[in-house]
Amino acid sequence: MANVIKLRKGLDIRLQGRAVLQKTNVEHVLENGLCPESFPGLTPKVVVREGDSVKAGDALFVNKACPEVRFASPVSGVVEAVVRGERRKVLCVKVKADEQQQYVDFGVKDVATLDGEQVKKALLEAGLFGYINQLPYAVTTTPDVTPKAIFVSALRDMPLASDFEFELQGNEKAFQAGLTALSKMAKTYLGLGAKQSADALVGASDVEVVVFDGPCPAGNVGVQVNHLNPVNKGEVVWTVDPTAVIFFGRLLLTGKVDLRRTVAVAGSEVKTPSYVDVLVGTPLSAILNGQLTKEHGIRIINGNPLTGVKATLEDYLGGHTSEVTVIPEGDDADELLGWILPRTKQFSVNRSYFSWLFGKKKEYSLDARVKGGERKMIMSGEYDRVLPMDIYGEYLIKAIIAEDIDRMEQLGIYEVSPEDFAVAEFVDSSKLELQHIVRKGLDLLRKENA
C-alpha cells in the first residue's frame, strides 16, 4: 500500500472553463518553434543555421555551459529562422516541417538491462536530457550532477491544469519504461493525488509511490520533495515532468524522439475547452484556432493561470507546458459601486464577498487584473496558510528582497522553486510578484555558488 501524506495548507481555486475529457483535432501545421526560455537556467548556443535540414531528434541548440546537453528538434524539416531579441538573446529556433516526417534512429534499447550511465548517455544523445530539472535553483540540470533522488509528480492541481491520467491513456508502457530508466540513475519517487486511480500510476514498479491528499499546491514537486527528502546545502535532487517521463520511455522503446503531448485548452474565454494532441513547439495560433470567444480583451497564457507565461498567438507551446489557458484581461471591467455590491461572482479568500455562501464547488471567471498596487509587505501569516512546506515563507521572501544569502540558506531556499509561491502570490494582500522574487533569489544564489 502506498504511503499517504495528508496536507491541510493550500487553496483550491476553481475557475470556469476546465477542459472536458475529450480530444479535438488540430489542423496539420508546417511550422515548429523550440524556445530556450522553456528551459530555466539555460544559456543556449545555436548549432544550426538558417537553411539547414534537420531530422526529428537532431540538436537545434545546446547548453553553452555544458554542450553535452542538447535540445532536439521536435520535427524534421528546414531551419527557417533563428529569432533573437535584445543583445542577440536566442528567443526561438523555427523549423519549417516536412510533410513526411523523418526521425533520427537512436536504436531500441532494453530498459531492464541498462545501467544509470547508459540511460544518461541515451538521453544526452537524443537531446532529451535537458527536460530534467534540479533542486536547488529550479533549473535544467547537467550530467555532471549526481542526484540523491529523482521526483516525478503526476498530480496537477493548479487552476485549469490538465489531467495527467487522461494524457496517460495509450502511453502506459512508455511511462513505465521512463520510470524504470530514471530508477537506474537514482531512487525515484512518484507522487500521486488521492483521487488518481489509473493502474499505470498506483501500480507503477521500480519507484516509490506516495499519495498526497490535500489542496493545491500539493501537486508541486517542490512540496513533495519537502515532505519526502528535503534538500540541504550541497545536495541535489532531480525533478521530472510526467510527460517528459513518457518522452524518455518512447525513446527507449522505439529509438525515436517523439515529443507529442496531450495539452488542455482551457479557460472561460475558450469556446469548447478540451484536449489536443500536439508537438512541443506547436504554434499557439494552431492550438487556439477557432477556440477564442473574442479577439480582444483576453489574456492568452502559455501554461496555467498561476504559473504560466503571458503569450500571443505568434508564440509556441513550451517544452514543459501541459495546458494553454485563456481568461479575460479585465481592461474593460466596470467597477462602478463594486465595493458596495455583494459580489456573488467574485472570489475571495477572506470571505469579503458573499460568494462564499455558495460553497467550495462554485466556479469563477476571474480576469488578469491585480486589483490594487504593490504596497508594504504585511507580516500577517497569509503565505503560511497556503504554503504546505516546512519553511517560513514570509521571512524567506524578506531575506531574498534584502539579498541576505546566509539568511536565505537558513530559511530553506534550496528546496523551493518559484511555482511553490504561486498560490501565496494569489492571496498576497501586498501584491508582490513572489514568483519573480524567488526566481531572482535563486539566480543570485546560483551565481554566488558557481
Side-chain angles (χ1 to χ4, degrees):
M1 183 177 178
N3 183 26
V4 178
I5 296 179
K6 292 188 177 182
L7 304 178
R8 298 185 182 277
K9 295 182 179 179
L11 177 67
D12 288 325
I13 307 168
R14 293 178 173 81
L15 301 185
Q16 292 179 6
R18 189 173 184 85
V20 297
L21 299 181
Q22 64 182 32
K23 294 182 181 180
T24 56
N25 295 324
V26 174
E27 293 184 4
H28 182 62
V29 289
L30 294 178
E31 185 183 47
N32 190 279
L34 193 63
C35 304
E37 286 190 344
S38 297
F39 307 95
L42 170 69
T43 302
K45 178 182 179 182
V46 180
V47 294
V48 293
R49 297 181 179 180
E50 293 182 13
D52 286 354
S53 295
V54 295
K55 294 182 179 180
D58 282 330
L60 296 180
F61 51 84
V62 300
N63 187 343
K64 189 174 183 180
C66 183
E68 289 180 272
V69 181
R70 308 186 303 170
F71 293 83
S73 173
V75 298
S76 67
V78 177
V79 178
E80 193 174 28
V82 178
V83 183
R84 296 180 183 271
E86 295 182 1
R87 302 179 67 178
R88 293 185 57 78
K89 179 182 179 181
V90 180
L91 301 180
C92 183
V93 180
K94 295 183 180 180
V95 179
K96 185 176 182 181
D98 296 329
E99 286 285 355
Q100 296 294 327
Q101 288 294 293
Q102 301 180 32
Y103 298 85
V104 178
D105 187 3
F106 294 100
V108 177
K109 295 177 175 61
D110 183 1
V111 185
T113 63
L114 300 179
D115 59 28
E117 286 302 316
Q118 290 173 321
V119 171
K120 186 182 297 184
K121 181 180 178 181
L123 296 180
L124 287 168
E125 288 179 346
L128 295 182
F129 190 84
Y131 286 82
I132 302 176
N133 289 344
Q134 72 167 56
L135 290 176
Y137 313 129
V139 294
T140 299
T141 194
T142 53
D144 58 321
V145 173
T146 302
K148 67 172 183 175
I150 300 175
F151 289 83
V152 179
S153 174
L155 172 60
R156 294 173 178 156
D157 57 0
M158 287 288 179
L160 302 179
S162 65
D163 186 342
F164 180 68
E165 284 189 292
F166 186 68
E167 181 178 359
L168 184 60
Q169 294 175 12
N171 294 304
E172 292 86 354
K173 289 184 178 180
F175 184 69
Q176 181 56 63
L179 290 177
T180 301
L182 291 175
S183 70
K184 302 285 185 176
M185 294 187 284
K187 181 177 181 179
T188 303
Y189 295 89
L190 175 61
L192 308 180
K195 297 181 180 179
Q196 290 180 302
S197 58
D199 292 339
L201 295 177
V202 297
S205 58
D206 302 318
V207 297
E208 182 174 328
V209 178
V210 184
V211 175
F212 287 84
D213 185 4
C216 176
N220 282 12
V221 70
V223 172
Q224 298 180 9
V225 171
N226 180 266
H227 284 83
L228 294 174
N229 200 342
V231 181
N232 299 309
K233 186 174 183 179
E235 297 177 338
V236 174
V237 299
W238 286 353
T239 63
V240 186
D241 184 85
T243 303
V245 177
I246 295 176
F247 294 164
F248 300 163
R250 288 176 184 159
L251 170 68
L252 298 172
L253 294 177
T254 67
K256 299 177 182 179
V257 171
D258 184 353
L259 298 181
R260 287 179 297 109
R261 65 181 305 158
T262 301
V263 175
V265 182
S268 57
E269 298 303 315
V270 174
K271 292 180 181 177
T272 55
S274 55
Y275 288 80
V276 294
D277 284 335
V278 290
L279 287 167
V280 169
T282 297
L284 297 188
S285 57
I287 296 175
L288 294 173
N289 184 30
Q291 285 279 37
L292 301 179
T293 58
K294 53 187 177 182
E295 295 183 1
H296 305 287
I298 57 175
R299 172 72 64 91
I300 299 173
I301 304 171
N302 205 338
N304 70 72
L306 289 190
T307 63
V309 178
K310 182 180 179 181
T312 67
L313 292 175
E314 286 71 42
D315 291 316
Y316 301 87
L317 185 71
H320 295 285
T321 302
S322 56
E323 55 272 328
V324 175
T325 53
V326 188
I327 62 175
E329 185 67 54
D331 51 2
D332 58 350
D334 182 6
E335 288 289 342
L336 179 64
L337 298 179
W339 59 273
I340 204 171
L341 297 176
R343 295 198 181 193
T344 57
K345 295 183 180 180
Q346 296 289 324
F347 177 79
S348 173
V349 178
N350 300 315
R351 296 188 174 185
S352 300
Y353 310 146
F354 282 89
S355 55
W356 69 271
L357 294 170
F358 295 95
K360 295 182 178 180
K361 294 185 178 182
K362 180 178 173 60
E363 294 184 340
Y364 300 87
S365 176
L366 304 185
D367 55 46
R369 289 177 297 159
V370 178
K371 295 186 178 179
E374 188 173 310
R375 62 203 75 169
K376 298 288 186 180
M377 187 173 178
I378 304 170
M379 301 295 288
S380 61
E382 57 188 354
Y383 299 174
D384 294 331
R385 286 194 289 270
V386 296
L387 187 62
M389 302 176 72
D390 189 19
I391 61 174
Y392 294 105
E394 291 175 342
Y395 290 96
L396 176 57
I397 293 296
K398 289 181 68 175
I400 295 173
I401 294 174
E403 297 187 355
D404 187 339
I405 293 177
D406 290 339
R407 191 70 171 156
M408 288 156 56
E409 291 180 341
Q410 294 169 5
L411 291 169
I413 193 172
Y414 286 116
E415 54 188 301
V416 303
S417 60
E419 68 174 10
D420 295 328
F421 282 81
V423 181
E425 182 176 314
F426 177 80
V427 304
D428 183 19
S429 56
S430 299
K431 311 297 181 181
L432 300 179
E433 295 183 349
L434 299 185
Q435 294 181 78
H436 175 73
I437 292 171
V438 173
R439 179 77 271 167
K440 183 178 178 181
L442 291 171
D443 290 344
L444 173 64
L445 205 62
R446 186 183 179 207
K447 183 178 180 180
E448 289 291 326
N449 292 335

